[in-house]
Amino acid sequence: MIVLASASSARRALLAAAGVMVTVDPAKIDENPTKQSLRERRAHPAAIAENLAVLKALDVSTRAPGALVIGADQTLDLAGTDFDKPRDRAEARSQLQALRGRTHRLFSAVAVVRDGQTRWRHVAEARLTMREFSNAFLEDYLDRAGDSVLSSVGGYQLEGLGAQLFTAIEGDFFTILGLPLLPLLDFLRIDGDLPT
Ligand SMILES: Nc1nc2c(ncn2[C@H]2C[C@H](O)[C@@H](COP(=O)(O)OP(=O)(O)OP(=O)(O)O)O2)c(=O)[nH]1
């Protein structure tokens, strides 16, 4: 059995569309203390994402004996500043105003744990360049995107209206949506969980 230790609908949808049947059991850990202490120690955003992906998978693994548990996490870095998922429209507005006209990096980490042992982990990076959109465009975007801006770390969904925010992206689509899917599928084949 494969368990996805994530509440992310994007991650669940990516795995389902790729034909990977999973049981969803979101981790029950509070990410903030770990994130805070790693940030205080000036940990790299990739390391923060990787640590959290492992912690989420380990948490769920304790209640899923024998199961292969997938944990994931994504961090956003803009020239050394970390961003979290916006809590409301005002935060989404100020985050997007900070990101516009600049290139930011997304780090998407995935970890696979079985019976408390971390079997595999991976972090992928993507670089996204936002165009210099106007404040009027931004207000209209926030009106049309609604609460969806609160469910992703940059306040955008690339596969949706968010596409109108960007002039260029480097890195793979799946990484941007929050899950390095292709390396994960490689691991699942090697581990014998998917047909080769
Ligand atoms: N649909 C969509 N989701 C995105 C995009 N970019 C980022 N995300 C989502 C994926 C994750 O759900 C979320 C990143 O936040 P986290 O890594 O903290 O995961 P989240 O709190 O959603 O769930 P989890 O901690 O795994 O239970 O942002 C995008 O372009 N499209």
Side-chain angles (χ1 to χ4, degrees):
M1 177 170 80
I2 299 177
V3 179
L4 176 62
S6 174
S8 167
S9 55
R11 294 185 176 119
R12 187 168 56 244
L14 288 176
L15 286 166
V20 180
M21 303 321 291
V22 299
T23 302
V24 173
D25 179 6
K28 294 182 169 49
I29 61 164
D30 176 1
E31 298 180 28
N32 293 320
T34 304
K35 218 180 269 190
Q36 197 53 38
S37 74
L38 286 169
R39 283 175 175 164
E40 279 158 14
R41 299 205 318 257
R42 308 190 61 70
H44 191 283
I48 295 174
E50 187 172 345
N51 273 274
L52 285 169
V54 169
L55 281 177
K56 294 179 204 178
L58 284 171
D59 171 64
V60 174
S61 179
T62 60
R63 51 182 185 270
L68 202 69
V69 181
I70 298 170
D73 191 75
Q74 186 178 55
T75 52
L76 185 155
D77 174 74
L78 174 70
T81 307
D82 283 6
F83 282 56
D84 290 317
K85 285 188 288 190
R87 287 167 297 190
D88 53 31
R89 179 182 173 122
E91 254 189 38
R93 178 188 297 111
S94 58
Q95 275 192 10
L96 288 161
Q97 286 172 333
L99 294 171
R100 72 178 162 192
R102 302 176 72 183
T103 298
H104 65 271
R105 300 186 296 173
L106 287 179
F107 296 93
S108 289
V110 57
V112 178
V113 168
R114 190 195 296 275
D115 292 330
Q117 296 297 317
T118 302
R119 302 286 309 284
W120 179 77
R121 53 171 80 186
H122 179 81
V123 187
E125 177 181 346
R127 290 171 182 263
L128 300 91
T129 302
M130 263 193 201
R131 65 186 182 82
E132 271 289 0
F133 45 79
S134 67
N135 286 333
F137 171 88
L138 177 53
E139 291 310 316
D140 179 58
Y141 166 79
L142 291 170
D143 287 343
R144 293 165 68 194
D147 286 350
S148 72
V149 300
L150 308 180
S151 61
S152 73
V153 74
Y156 55 79
Q157 301 199 323
L158 182 71
E159 77 280 21
L161 275 178
Q164 292 196 33
L165 299 172
F166 295 97
T167 52
I169 59 174
E170 292 167 60
D172 83 19
F173 175 78
F174 303 116
T175 294
I176 294 169
L177 266 64
L179 186 71
L181 182 64
L182 299 185
L184 175 60
L185 296 177
D186 276 342
F187 170 78
L188 293 175
R189 280 188 287 271
I190 292 165
D191 193 56
D193 309 296
L194 285 179
T196 51

